[in-house]
Amino acid sequence: MDFNMQARIFVVQSIALVMILNFCCLLISKFWGYELFTARMVSSLFVLAIDIVYALIWYKVVTKHRDMLPTFYTSTSGFRMLLAMIVLAVWYFTAERASMLTFFCVFLVFYMVSLVHHSIYFSRISNRL
């Protein structure tokens, strides 16, 4: 199995998902009048940064220390959640109350879609190892 290609496929799929979510946010902004630009950008950057770094580290772990994969999956899930909580806390302390709920909703949609994608993709990969 070509692990480099699997990591690239994961990143390409993540980019496609972020593009689809951005398109959905644009439609919501257009038809319902919500201002979602900042929430979209922060959420998109968060998901893309996490997924790209995750793919790079996964490639290193799977090629050199395959026996450490269960620990890697557990630790990265916790780290992703911790970073998401930090982003939400920073937004909570810096934004006004009116935009807070909108940001939280958009961010959680991006986060949950990324989490589901990550879980499905790597469970399929792990079953083939």
Side-chain angles (χ1 to χ4, degrees):
M1 178 181 295
D2 184 17
F3 298 120
N4 190 22
M5 182 59 75
Q6 294 299 325
R8 287 182 186 190
I9 290 171
F10 177 72
V11 171
V12 168
Q13 287 178 355
S14 295
I15 292 170
L17 281 173
V18 167
M19 289 174 58
I20 290 168
L21 289 171
N22 274 302
F23 180 72
C24 292
C25 286
L26 282 174
L27 289 177
I28 290 170
S29 293
K30 176 91 171 146
F31 293 118
W32 284 286
Y34 290 108
E35 176 55 45
L36 302 177
F37 180 76
T38 306
R40 278 188 313 120
M41 290 302 113
V42 171
S43 301
S44 297
L45 289 174
F46 176 83
V47 168
L48 289 176
I50 292 292
D51 286 351
I52 290 169
V53 169
Y54 186 90
L56 292 172
I57 296 172
W58 177 82
Y59 174 72
K60 297 291 184 189
V61 170
V62 80
T63 54
K64 296 184 181 182
H65 306 286
R66 193 174 297 174
D67 57 324
M68 298 297 290
L69 276 176
T71 305
F72 172 72
Y73 291 139
T74 304
S75 63
T76 53
S77 293
F79 187 66
R80 177 192 305 240
M81 186 176 65
L82 179 65
L83 285 177
M85 292 177 80
I86 290 171
V87 168
L88 291 174
V90 167
W91 190 265
Y92 177 78
F93 290 118
T94 59
E96 66 272 358
R97 186 170 175 85
S99 68
M100 208 176 309
L101 182 62
T102 305
F103 177 81
F104 283 6
C105 290
V106 171
F107 186 81
L108 289 178
V109 167
F110 273 76
Y111 178 80
M112 294 306 286
V113 168
S114 171
L115 197 61
V116 167
H117 172 244
H118 165 266
S119 299
I120 291 171
Y121 188 81
F122 285 108
S123 68
R124 288 184 180 172
I125 295 286
S126 295
N127 288 338
R128 288 188 271 170
L129 292 178

PDB file of all heavy atoms in Angstrom, residues 30-56:
ATOM      1  N   LYS A  30     -26.243  34.132   1.447  1.00  0.00           N
ATOM      2  CA  LYS A  30     -26.971  34.784   0.359  1.00  0.00           C
ATOM      3  C   LYS A  30     -28.472  34.787   0.606  1.00  0.00           C
ATOM      4  O   LYS A  30     -29.136  35.809   0.428  1.00  0.00           O
ATOM      5  CB  LYS A  30     -26.649  34.062  -0.948  1.00  0.00           C
ATOM      6  CG  LYS A  30     -27.380  34.551  -2.143  1.00  0.00           C
ATOM      7  CD  LYS A  30     -26.603  35.611  -2.829  1.00  0.00           C
ATOM      8  CE  LYS A  30     -27.287  35.913  -4.149  1.00  0.00           C
ATOM      9  NZ  LYS A  30     -27.153  37.283  -4.483  1.00  0.00           N
ATOM     10  N   PHE A  31     -29.036  33.653   1.003  1.00  0.00           N
ATOM     11  CA  PHE A  31     -30.491  33.530   1.092  1.00  0.00           C
ATOM     12  C   PHE A  31     -31.074  33.917   2.446  1.00  0.00           C
ATOM     13  O   PHE A  31     -32.218  34.329   2.530  1.00  0.00           O
ATOM     14  CB  PHE A  31     -30.931  32.124   0.710  1.00  0.00           C
ATOM     15  CG  PHE A  31     -30.692  31.818  -0.742  1.00  0.00           C
ATOM     16  CD1 PHE A  31     -29.832  30.804  -1.121  1.00  0.00           C
ATOM     17  CD2 PHE A  31     -31.302  32.570  -1.727  1.00  0.00           C
ATOM     18  CE1 PHE A  31     -29.606  30.529  -2.460  1.00  0.00           C
ATOM     19  CE2 PHE A  31     -31.086  32.307  -3.062  1.00  0.00           C
ATOM     20  CZ  PHE A  31     -30.231  31.283  -3.434  1.00  0.00           C
ATOM     21  N   TRP A  32     -30.306  33.741   3.527  1.00  0.00           N
ATOM     22  CA  TRP A  32     -30.845  34.069   4.843  1.00  0.00           C
ATOM     23  C   TRP A  32     -30.206  35.300   5.464  1.00  0.00           C
ATOM     24  O   TRP A  32     -30.583  35.734   6.540  1.00  0.00           O
ATOM     25  CB  TRP A  32     -30.713  32.870   5.782  1.00  0.00           C
ATOM     26  CG  TRP A  32     -31.753  31.831   5.478  1.00  0.00           C
ATOM     27  CD1 TRP A  32     -33.079  31.913   5.768  1.00  0.00           C
ATOM     28  CD2 TRP A  32     -31.555  30.599   4.828  1.00  0.00           C
ATOM     29  NE1 TRP A  32     -33.717  30.783   5.326  1.00  0.00           N
ATOM     30  CE2 TRP A  32     -32.802  29.947   4.743  1.00  0.00           C
ATOM     31  CE3 TRP A  32     -30.453  29.954   4.285  1.00  0.00           C
ATOM     32  CZ2 TRP A  32     -32.988  28.718   4.159  1.00  0.00           C
ATOM     33  CZ3 TRP A  32     -30.617  28.718   3.695  1.00  0.00           C
ATOM     34  CH2 TRP A  32     -31.873  28.119   3.640  1.00  0.00           C
ATOM     35  N   GLY A  33     -29.191  35.829   4.833  1.00  0.00           N
ATOM     36  CA  GLY A  33     -28.630  37.099   5.275  1.00  0.00           C
ATOM     37  C   GLY A  33     -27.685  37.038   6.464  1.00  0.00           C
ATOM     38  O   GLY A  33     -27.405  38.065   7.062  1.00  0.00           O
ATOM     39  N   TYR A  34     -27.186  35.872   6.811  1.00  0.00           N
ATOM     40  CA  TYR A  34     -26.228  35.788   7.913  1.00  0.00           C
ATOM     41  C   TYR A  34     -24.852  36.203   7.427  1.00  0.00           C
ATOM     42  O   TYR A  34     -24.460  35.926   6.309  1.00  0.00           O
ATOM     43  CB  TYR A  34     -26.142  34.360   8.464  1.00  0.00           C
ATOM     44  CG  TYR A  34     -27.364  33.919   9.207  1.00  0.00           C
ATOM     45  CD1 TYR A  34     -28.229  32.983   8.659  1.00  0.00           C
ATOM     46  CD2 TYR A  34     -27.652  34.429  10.455  1.00  0.00           C
ATOM     47  CE1 TYR A  34     -29.354  32.566   9.342  1.00  0.00           C
ATOM     48  CE2 TYR A  34     -28.766  34.023  11.155  1.00  0.00           C
ATOM     49  CZ  TYR A  34     -29.617  33.081  10.593  1.00  0.00           C
ATOM     50  OH  TYR A  34     -30.723  32.685  11.270  1.00  0.00           O
ATOM     51  N   GLU A  35     -24.092  36.832   8.303  1.00  0.00           N
ATOM     52  CA  GLU A  35     -22.707  37.193   8.007  1.00  0.00           C
ATOM     53  C   GLU A  35     -21.812  36.071   8.517  1.00  0.00           C
ATOM     54  O   GLU A  35     -21.601  35.937   9.725  1.00  0.00           O
ATOM     55  CB  GLU A  35     -22.342  38.519   8.666  1.00  0.00           C
ATOM     56  CG  GLU A  35     -20.904  38.931   8.485  1.00  0.00           C
ATOM     57  CD  GLU A  35     -20.478  38.984   7.023  1.00  0.00           C
ATOM     58  OE1 GLU A  35     -21.210  39.520   6.196  1.00  0.00           O
ATOM     59  OE2 GLU A  35     -19.392  38.477   6.729  1.00  0.00           O
ATOM     60  N   LEU A  36     -21.294  35.267   7.595  1.00  0.00           N
ATOM     61  CA  LEU A  36     -20.527  34.074   7.971  1.00  0.00           C
ATOM     62  C   LEU A  36     -19.090  34.105   7.482  1.00  0.00           C
ATOM     63  O   LEU A  36     -18.384  33.099   7.597  1.00  0.00           O
ATOM     64  CB  LEU A  36     -21.217  32.814   7.409  1.00  0.00           C
ATOM     65  CG  LEU A  36     -22.651  32.566   7.830  1.00  0.00           C
ATOM     66  CD1 LEU A  36     -23.192  31.334   7.123  1.00  0.00           C
ATOM     67  CD2 LEU A  36     -22.745  32.402   9.327  1.00  0.00           C
ATOM     68  N   PHE A  37     -18.627  35.220   6.956  1.00  0.00           N
ATOM     69  CA  PHE A  37     -17.298  35.242   6.351  1.00  0.00           C
ATOM     70  C   PHE A  37     -16.198  34.883   7.344  1.00  0.00           C
ATOM     71  O   PHE A  37     -15.382  33.999   7.093  1.00  0.00           O
ATOM     72  CB  PHE A  37     -17.007  36.613   5.722  1.00  0.00           C
ATOM     73  CG  PHE A  37     -15.657  36.678   5.083  1.00  0.00           C
ATOM     74  CD1 PHE A  37     -15.444  36.074   3.869  1.00  0.00           C
ATOM     75  CD2 PHE A  37     -14.601  37.309   5.717  1.00  0.00           C
ATOM     76  CE1 PHE A  37     -14.189  36.101   3.276  1.00  0.00           C
ATOM     77  CE2 PHE A  37     -13.348  37.356   5.136  1.00  0.00           C
ATOM     78  CZ  PHE A  37     -13.152  36.743   3.910  1.00  0.00           C
ATOM     79  N   THR A  38     -16.153  35.554   8.469  1.00  0.00           N
ATOM     80  CA  THR A  38     -15.090  35.303   9.448  1.00  0.00           C
ATOM     81  C   THR A  38     -15.181  33.888  10.004  1.00  0.00           C
ATOM     82  O   THR A  38     -14.158  33.205  10.139  1.00  0.00           O
ATOM     83  CB  THR A  38     -15.167  36.327  10.599  1.00  0.00           C
ATOM     84  OG1 THR A  38     -15.154  37.636  10.054  1.00  0.00           O
ATOM     85  CG2 THR A  38     -14.009  36.163  11.552  1.00  0.00           C
ATOM     86  N   ALA A  39     -16.385  33.442  10.291  1.00  0.00           N
ATOM     87  CA  ALA A  39     -16.555  32.084  10.811  1.00  0.00           C
ATOM     88  C   ALA A  39     -16.112  31.045   9.783  1.00  0.00           C
ATOM     89  O   ALA A  39     -15.463  30.054  10.133  1.00  0.00           O
ATOM     90  CB  ALA A  39     -18.018  31.857  11.190  1.00  0.00           C
ATOM     91  N   ARG A  40     -16.433  31.288   8.515  1.00  0.00           N
ATOM     92  CA  ARG A  40     -16.013  30.360   7.458  1.00  0.00           C
ATOM     93  C   ARG A  40     -14.502  30.309   7.341  1.00  0.00           C
ATOM     94  O   ARG A  40     -13.915  29.240   7.208  1.00  0.00           O
ATOM     95  CB  ARG A  40     -16.576  30.800   6.106  1.00  0.00           C
ATOM     96  CG  ARG A  40     -17.955  30.414   5.825  1.00  0.00           C
ATOM     97  CD  ARG A  40     -18.386  30.726   4.391  1.00  0.00           C
ATOM     98  NE  ARG A  40     -18.038  32.057   3.934  1.00  0.00           N
ATOM     99  CZ  ARG A  40     -17.245  32.299   2.880  1.00  0.00           C
ATOM    100  NH1 ARG A  40     -16.716  31.320   2.207  1.00  0.00           N
ATOM    101  NH2 ARG A  40     -16.997  33.540   2.511  1.00  0.00           N
ATOM    102  N   MET A  41     -13.865  31.473   7.366  1.00  0.00           N
ATOM    103  CA  MET A  41     -12.421  31.512   7.175  1.00  0.00           C
ATOM    104  C   MET A  41     -11.682  30.858   8.345  1.00  0.00           C
ATOM    105  O   MET A  41     -10.764  30.058   8.136  1.00  0.00           O
ATOM    106  CB  MET A  41     -11.942  32.957   6.990  1.00  0.00           C
ATOM    107  CG  MET A  41     -12.353  33.579   5.687  1.00  0.00           C
ATOM    108  SD  MET A  41     -11.752  32.649   4.269  1.00  0.00           S
ATOM    109  CE  MET A  41     -13.282  32.041   3.596  1.00  0.00           C
ATOM    110  N   VAL A  42     -12.080  31.184   9.552  1.00  0.00           N
ATOM    111  CA  VAL A  42     -11.426  30.585  10.721  1.00  0.00           C
ATOM    112  C   VAL A  42     -11.643  29.068  10.733  1.00  0.00           C
ATOM    113  O   VAL A  42     -10.704  28.299  10.946  1.00  0.00           O
ATOM    114  CB  VAL A  42     -11.943  31.226  12.032  1.00  0.00           C
ATOM    115  CG1 VAL A  42     -11.449  30.469  13.248  1.00  0.00           C
ATOM    116  CG2 VAL A  42     -11.521  32.682  12.107  1.00  0.00           C
ATOM    117  N   SER A  43     -12.848  28.640  10.468  1.00  0.00           N
ATOM    118  CA  SER A  43     -13.154  27.210  10.467  1.00  0.00           C
ATOM    119  C   SER A  43     -12.413  26.484   9.353  1.00  0.00           C
ATOM    120  O   SER A  43     -11.877  25.394   9.564  1.00  0.00           O
ATOM    121  CB  SER A  43     -14.663  26.992  10.316  1.00  0.00           C
ATOM    122  OG  SER A  43     -15.361  27.615  11.352  1.00  0.00           O
ATOM    123  N   SER A  44     -12.369  27.084   8.178  1.00  0.00           N
ATOM    124  CA  SER A  44     -11.663  26.474   7.054  1.00  0.00           C
ATOM    125  C   SER A  44     -10.176  26.341   7.339  1.00  0.00           C
ATOM    126  O   SER A  44      -9.576  25.282   7.101  1.00  0.00           O
ATOM    127  CB  SER A  44     -11.858  27.305   5.781  1.00  0.00           C
ATOM    128  OG  SER A  44     -13.191  27.337   5.407  1.00  0.00           O
ATOM    129  N   LEU A  45      -9.574  27.404   7.847  1.00  0.00           N
ATOM    130  CA  LEU A  45      -8.146  27.351   8.164  1.00  0.00           C
ATOM    131  C   LEU A  45      -7.855  26.329   9.254  1.00  0.00           C
ATOM    132  O   LEU A  45      -6.853  25.605   9.187  1.00  0.00           O
ATOM    133  CB  LEU A  45      -7.645  28.736   8.570  1.00  0.00           C
ATOM    134  CG  LEU A  45      -7.566  29.756   7.452  1.00  0.00           C
ATOM    135  CD1 LEU A  45      -7.207  31.129   8.007  1.00  0.00           C
ATOM    136  CD2 LEU A  45      -6.572  29.322   6.406  1.00  0.00           C
ATOM    137  N   PHE A  46      -8.720  26.262  10.256  1.00  0.00           N
ATOM    138  CA  PHE A  46      -8.535  25.288  11.328  1.00  0.00           C
ATOM    139  C   PHE A  46      -8.566  23.865  10.776  1.00  0.00           C
ATOM    140  O   PHE A  46      -7.658  23.066  11.029  1.00  0.00           O
ATOM    141  CB  PHE A  46      -9.622  25.465  12.393  1.00  0.00           C
ATOM    142  CG  PHE A  46      -9.567  24.441  13.485  1.00  0.00           C
ATOM    143  CD1 PHE A  46      -8.700  24.601  14.550  1.00  0.00           C
ATOM    144  CD2 PHE A  46     -10.370  23.317  13.457  1.00  0.00           C
ATOM    145  CE1 PHE A  46      -8.632  23.656  15.564  1.00  0.00           C
ATOM    146  CE2 PHE A  46     -10.307  22.363  14.460  1.00  0.00           C
ATOM    147  CZ  PHE A  46      -9.440  22.540  15.515  1.00  0.00           C
ATOM    148  N   VAL A  47      -9.602  23.545  10.009  1.00  0.00           N
ATOM    149  CA  VAL A  47      -9.756  22.182   9.488  1.00  0.00           C
ATOM    150  C   VAL A  47      -8.619  21.829   8.534  1.00  0.00           C
ATOM    151  O   VAL A  47      -8.037  20.746   8.625  1.00  0.00           O
ATOM    152  CB  VAL A  47     -11.131  22.013   8.807  1.00  0.00           C
ATOM    153  CG1 VAL A  47     -11.198  20.727   8.014  1.00  0.00           C
ATOM    154  CG2 VAL A  47     -12.242  22.056   9.841  1.00  0.00           C
ATOM    155  N   LEU A  48      -8.282  22.733   7.633  1.00  0.00           N
ATOM    156  CA  LEU A  48      -7.208  22.433   6.681  1.00  0.00           C
ATOM    157  C   LEU A  48      -5.854  22.295   7.366  1.00  0.00           C
ATOM    158  O   LEU A  48      -5.084  21.382   7.043  1.00  0.00           O
ATOM    159  CB  LEU A  48      -7.156  23.505   5.593  1.00  0.00           C
ATOM    160  CG  LEU A  48      -8.318  23.486   4.608  1.00  0.00           C
ATOM    161  CD1 LEU A  48      -8.198  24.650   3.639  1.00  0.00           C
ATOM    162  CD2 LEU A  48      -8.382  22.172   3.864  1.00  0.00           C
ATOM    163  N   ALA A  49      -5.561  23.163   8.300  1.00  0.00           N
ATOM    164  CA  ALA A  49      -4.277  23.065   9.007  1.00  0.00           C
ATOM    165  C   ALA A  49      -4.184  21.755   9.785  1.00  0.00           C
ATOM    166  O   ALA A  49      -3.166  21.055   9.714  1.00  0.00           O
ATOM    167  CB  ALA A  49      -4.107  24.258   9.943  1.00  0.00           C
ATOM    168  N   ILE A  50      -5.249  21.426  10.512  1.00  0.00           N
ATOM    169  CA  ILE A  50      -5.235  20.189  11.297  1.00  0.00           C
ATOM    170  C   ILE A  50      -5.108  18.975  10.386  1.00  0.00           C
ATOM    171  O   ILE A  50      -4.315  18.060  10.653  1.00  0.00           O
ATOM    172  CB  ILE A  50      -6.515  20.096  12.164  1.00  0.00           C
ATOM    173  CG1 ILE A  50      -6.511  21.152  13.248  1.00  0.00           C
ATOM    174  CG2 ILE A  50      -6.684  18.703  12.759  1.00  0.00           C
ATOM    175  CD1 ILE A  50      -5.467  20.965  14.316  1.00  0.00           C
ATOM    176  N   ASP A  51      -5.863  18.937   9.295  1.00  0.00           N
ATOM    177  CA  ASP A  51      -5.845  17.760   8.429  1.00  0.00           C
ATOM    178  C   ASP A  51      -4.527  17.608   7.674  1.00  0.00           C
ATOM    179  O   ASP A  51      -4.039  16.486   7.494  1.00  0.00           O
ATOM    180  CB  ASP A  51      -7.017  17.805   7.451  1.00  0.00           C
ATOM    181  CG  ASP A  51      -8.337  17.480   8.128  1.00  0.00           C
ATOM    182  OD1 ASP A  51      -8.318  17.057   9.298  1.00  0.00           O
ATOM    183  OD2 ASP A  51      -9.388  17.634   7.483  1.00  0.00           O
ATOM    184  N   ILE A  52      -3.930  18.704   7.246  1.00  0.00           N
ATOM    185  CA  ILE A  52      -2.648  18.609   6.545  1.00  0.00           C
ATOM    186  C   ILE A  52      -1.552  18.145   7.491  1.00  0.00           C
ATOM    187  O   ILE A  52      -0.774  17.244   7.167  1.00  0.00           O
ATOM    188  CB  ILE A  52      -2.300  19.948   5.870  1.00  0.00           C
ATOM    189  CG1 ILE A  52      -3.253  20.196   4.695  1.00  0.00           C
ATOM    190  CG2 ILE A  52      -0.844  19.974   5.416  1.00  0.00           C
ATOM    191  CD1 ILE A  52      -3.170  21.586   4.119  1.00  0.00           C
ATOM    192  N   VAL A  53      -1.495  18.731   8.663  1.00  0.00           N
ATOM    193  CA  VAL A  53      -0.493  18.302   9.648  1.00  0.00           C
ATOM    194  C   VAL A  53      -0.734  16.852  10.059  1.00  0.00           C
ATOM    195  O   VAL A  53       0.200  16.059  10.177  1.00  0.00           O
ATOM    196  CB  VAL A  53      -0.498  19.250  10.872  1.00  0.00           C
ATOM    197  CG1 VAL A  53       0.333  18.694  12.008  1.00  0.00           C
ATOM    198  CG2 VAL A  53       0.003  20.625  10.476  1.00  0.00           C
ATOM    199  N   TYR A  54      -1.990  16.497  10.234  1.00  0.00           N
ATOM    200  CA  TYR A  54      -2.336  15.126  10.613  1.00  0.00           C
ATOM    201  C   TYR A  54      -1.868  14.140   9.553  1.00  0.00           C
ATOM    202  O   TYR A  54      -1.290  13.102   9.874  1.00  0.00           O
ATOM    203  CB  TYR A  54      -3.859  15.015  10.791  1.00  0.00           C
ATOM    204  CG  TYR A  54      -4.282  13.687  11.328  1.00  0.00           C
ATOM    205  CD1 TYR A  54      -4.380  13.474  12.694  1.00  0.00           C
ATOM    206  CD2 TYR A  54      -4.574  12.628  10.481  1.00  0.00           C
ATOM    207  CE1 TYR A  54      -4.753  12.251  13.190  1.00  0.00           C
ATOM    208  CE2 TYR A  54      -4.940  11.400  10.976  1.00  0.00           C
ATOM    209  CZ  TYR A  54      -5.044  11.219  12.330  1.00  0.00           C
ATOM    210  OH  TYR A  54      -5.397  10.003  12.818  1.00  0.00           O
ATOM    211  N   ALA A  55      -2.094  14.456   8.268  1.00  0.00           N
ATOM    212  CA  ALA A  55      -1.683  13.551   7.191  1.00  0.00           C
ATOM    213  C   ALA A  55      -0.160  13.394   7.146  1.00  0.00           C
ATOM    214  O   ALA A  55       0.346  12.286   6.943  1.00  0.00           O
ATOM    215  CB  ALA A  55      -2.206  14.057   5.857  1.00  0.00           C
ATOM    216  N   LEU A  56       0.556  14.497   7.340  1.00  0.00           N
ATOM    217  CA  LEU A  56       2.022  14.415   7.333  1.00  0.00           C
ATOM    218  C   LEU A  56       2.549  13.565   8.481  1.00  0.00           C
ATOM    219  O   LEU A  56       3.436  12.719   8.285  1.00  0.00           O
ATOM    220  CB  LEU A  56       2.614  15.821   7.411  1.00  0.00           C
ATOM    221  CG  LEU A  56       2.410  16.708   6.195  1.00  0.00           C
ATOM    222  CD1 LEU A  56       2.872  18.123   6.496  1.00  0.00           C
ATOM    223  CD2 LEU A  56       3.142  16.146   4.999  1.00  0.00           C
TER     224      LEU A  56
END
